[in-house]
């Protein structure tokens, strides 16, 4: 049985939210739903229909995302959902294939998403392209190394986030280009970041902020909530939940972390969604006491392999013939030569014998600079025909700092 795919009209928002609520077990406050509707690009939102009933959906945001060496328009895939009554009937496959064809028609070479279930998206050519850490740190364990960077010109200022929104936006915009995976935030996204109604707080208290600044302006900020608590003996046992910490330089970064970790009446700090190479690990005098959990973050799909590979920078020279396997986007399948280095890249079809044969998802995983090409080779999930070719390709596609998006879309 087939289910026709067509755009979802704005007037069909109630039907779309019903699919999302059923698929994700999500019941937002009406105001939260209104914010999400305001962000939705209905010309990029498609649905699968069973008669007049919307039974599945997929959407995308038009993102400007940093990649190694520059910035690209990227399709930020979101709201992929199917009613429980219509699972395993081809709805998801139809939605994903239709969406990828649309992304290609729009001239976007790359799609990215946060996976609700990691087992799903590899089937459609997405590869795990970045990781994130969640930190758990007790206040008594938070001493820094003696050499931690300090700048006497820096000072802290406690502020209400809404009162300094323009400062936060300006600083963040100055940092986006520094790390692959980050994307420019429009006004509507900042509305969500700074949202602070009771239903946004989830029992963790109001959104708070501290700035690190000097006479020249703001050099960093932290956004967090404080959940106050006392133990049975009347001792403070509060928890600080860090939402964001952004800084333009190491001294501002370290000072903001000290402010967070030394806050009165706090016994522990929880910080989810931090980059895999977060320098906090290096700053701690005893990093063993930091409890860090790792999880996948961005998943990336090369929609046009040749254009995507030619549109990023490379850490080292490489000249390799890649044979790509891609049964979802057949225009990508076949052999191409990638000749690349720090000064640029060229990629296009050839008839030469391949050095490497790999699924398109493997290239997606490596695209932002933190791929697992070597691990995939050892696992037998790609094939190397010329000894050393995978190592050379992995070295060329690597990047520092490691990719990190930092905000779910």
């Amino acid at each position: 049985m087939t289910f026709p795919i067509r755009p979802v009209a704005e007037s069909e928002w109630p039907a779309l939210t019903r699919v999302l609520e059923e698929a994700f077990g999500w019941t937002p406050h009406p105001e939260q739903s209104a914010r999400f509707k305001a962000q939705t690009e209905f010309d990029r939102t498609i649905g699968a229909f069973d008669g007049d009933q919307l039974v599945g959906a997929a959407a995308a945001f038009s993102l400007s995302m940093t990649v190694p060496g520059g910035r690209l328009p990227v399709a930020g895939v979101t709201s992929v959902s199917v009613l429980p009554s219509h699972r395993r009937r081809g709805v998801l496959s139809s939605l994903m294939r239709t969406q990828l064809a649309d992304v290609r028609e729009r001239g976007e070479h790359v799609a990215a998403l946060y996976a609700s279930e990691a087992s799903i998206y590899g089937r459609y050519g997405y590869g795990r392209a970045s990781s994130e850490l969640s930190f758990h740190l007790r206040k008594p364990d938070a001493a820094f190394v003696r050499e931690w960077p300090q700048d006497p010109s820096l000072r802290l200022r406690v502020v209400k986030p809404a009162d300094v929104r323009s400062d936060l936006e300006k600083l963040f915009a100055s940092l986006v280009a520094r790390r692959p995976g980050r994307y420019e935030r429009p006004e509507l996204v900042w509305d969500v970041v700074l949202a602070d109604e009771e239903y946004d707080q989830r029992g963790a208290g109001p959104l708070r902020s501290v700035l690190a600044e000097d006479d020249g302006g703001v050099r960093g900020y932290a956004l967090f909530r404080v959940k106050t608590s006392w133990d049975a003996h009347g001792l403070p046992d509060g928890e600080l939940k860090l939402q964001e910490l952004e800084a333009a330089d190491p001294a501002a970064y370290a000072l903001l972390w000290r402010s967070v970790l030394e806050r009165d009446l706090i016994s522990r700090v929880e910080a989810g969604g931090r980059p895999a190479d977060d320098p906090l690990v290096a700053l701690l005098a005893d990093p063993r006491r930091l409890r860090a959990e790792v999880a996948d973050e961005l998943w990336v799909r090369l929609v046009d392999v040749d254009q995507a590979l030619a549109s990023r920078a490379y850490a080292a020279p490489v000249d390799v013939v890649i044979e790509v396997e891609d049964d979802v986007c057949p225009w990508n399948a076949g052999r191409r030569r990638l000749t690349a280095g720090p000064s640029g890249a060229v990629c296009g079809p050839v008839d030469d014998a391949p050095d490497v044969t790999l699924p398109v998802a493997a290239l997606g995983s490596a695209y932002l600079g933190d791929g697992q090409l070597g691990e995939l080779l050892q696992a037998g999930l790609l094939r190397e025909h010329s000894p050393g070719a995978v190592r050379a390709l992995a070295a060329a596609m690597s990047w520092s700092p490691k990719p990190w998006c930092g905000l779910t879309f």
Side-chain angles (χ1 to χ4, degrees):
M1 185 174 182
T2 59
F3 300 91
I5 307 292
R6 66 165 175 81
V8 176
E10 186 171 354
S11 61
E12 295 174 303
W13 177 254
L16 177 58
T17 57
R18 178 174 176 270
V19 172
L20 294 174
E21 290 177 13
E22 291 293 337
F24 292 104
W26 174 56
T27 306
H29 186 278
E31 179 59 31
Q32 292 173 313
S33 181
R35 290 183 205 140
F36 186 45
K37 180 181 179 181
Q39 293 183 72
T40 299
E41 299 179 36
F42 283 95
D43 65 321
R44 305 200 67 164
T45 303
I46 55 175
F49 290 81
D50 186 353
D52 294 332
Q53 182 187 18
L54 180 64
V55 298
F61 296 119
S62 302
L63 304 181
S64 177
M65 182 175 286
T66 301
V67 302
R71 193 173 300 169
L72 287 180
V74 170
V77 175
T78 188
S79 300
V80 180
S81 50
V82 178
L83 282 180
S85 57
H86 287 70
R87 295 173 65 241
R88 295 187 174 88
R89 297 169 68 179
V91 175
L92 179 61
S93 292
S94 295
L95 288 167
M96 297 303 290
R97 290 173 183 271
T98 300
Q99 184 182 65
L100 287 168
D102 178 69
V103 170
R104 185 192 186 203
E105 290 177 6
R106 291 171 181 268
E108 295 166 333
H109 313 320
V110 179
L113 55 80
Y114 278 82
S116 55
E117 292 186 72
S119 61
I120 294 175
Y121 293 97
R123 303 200 304 262
Y124 304 104
Y126 286 85
R128 178 169 58 87
S130 66
S131 299
E132 65 178 15
L133 297 177
S134 293
F135 292 153
H136 313 271
L137 187 61
R138 297 191 313 124
K139 188 173 181 178
D141 301 332
F144 274 9
V145 295
R146 287 182 297 177
E147 303 83 5
W148 67 278
Q150 300 180 58
D151 183 344
S153 71
L154 274 172
R155 57 184 177 268
L156 295 172
R157 179 159 60 103
V158 176
V159 293
K160 291 184 176 180
D163 294 343
V164 291
R165 174 168 172 159
S166 61
D167 292 313
L168 306 183
E169 291 181 4
K170 181 179 178 181
L171 179 74
F172 184 86
S174 72
L175 304 177
V176 167
R178 295 189 180 185
R179 186 185 290 270
R182 311 224 74 178
Y183 63 93
E184 294 180 349
R185 292 180 181 175
E187 290 293 309
L188 290 172
V189 172
W190 276 105
D191 290 344
V192 175
V193 170
L194 300 179
D196 200 30
E197 300 296 336
E198 185 175 354
Y199 44 80
D200 299 307
Q201 297 174 9
R202 300 179 182 178
L207 188 65
R208 304 176 187 275
S209 181
V210 61
L211 304 182
E213 60 186 1
D214 59 18
D215 291 342
V218 175
R219 286 165 53 182
Y221 69 83
L223 295 174
F224 55 91
R225 302 183 188 275
V226 175
K227 188 173 183 179
T228 304
S229 180
W230 305 82
D231 68 14
H233 305 287
L235 298 174
D237 191 32
E239 179 178 83
L240 187 147
K241 295 181 176 291
L242 184 68
Q243 179 172 307
E244 290 192 354
L245 193 152
E246 302 285 352
D249 58 84
Y253 173 88
L255 183 62
L256 285 167
W257 266 111
R258 291 289 357 132
S259 174
V260 165
L261 294 168
E262 293 174 351
R263 193 173 179 91
D264 290 340
L265 308 183
I266 294 299
S267 62
R268 61 195 175 279
V269 172
E270 304 284 333
R274 301 299 303 169
D277 56 354
D278 196 307
L280 175 64
V281 180
L283 286 171
L284 290 171
D286 187 354
R288 289 183 181 180
R289 296 186 179 276
L290 176 67
R291 295 292 175 262
E293 299 173 358
V294 64
D296 58 288
E297 199 210 23
L298 280 183
W299 290 64
V300 165
R301 213 284 183 203
L302 303 193
V303 181
D304 185 319
V305 168
D306 292 339
Q307 293 296 326
L309 292 179
S311 298
R312 55 152 288 178
Y314 292 80
V318 66
D319 185 6
V320 62
V321 176
I322 306 167
E323 184 173 42
V324 178
E325 299 171 331
D326 191 346
D327 59 358
V328 175
C329 298
W331 55 84
N332 284 326
R335 300 173 185 176
R336 65 252 306 136
R337 179 180 291 277
L338 172 65
T339 304
S343 60
V346 177
C347 187
V350 294
D351 294 324
D352 300 347
D355 298 305
V356 182
T357 299
L358 74 181
V360 70
L363 288 175
S365 77
Y367 190 70
L368 295 180
D370 191 30
Q372 300 84 42
L373 295 180
E375 294 89 331
L376 293 173
L377 176 63
Q378 294 178 54
L381 299 177
L382 54 82
R383 302 187 299 280
E384 182 180 65
H385 310 293
S386 300
V390 170
R391 182 172 62 252
L393 180 60
M397 297 189 75
S398 66
W399 202 258
S400 181
K402 290 186 176 182
W404 174 60
C405 183
L407 185 63
T408 306
F409 51 81

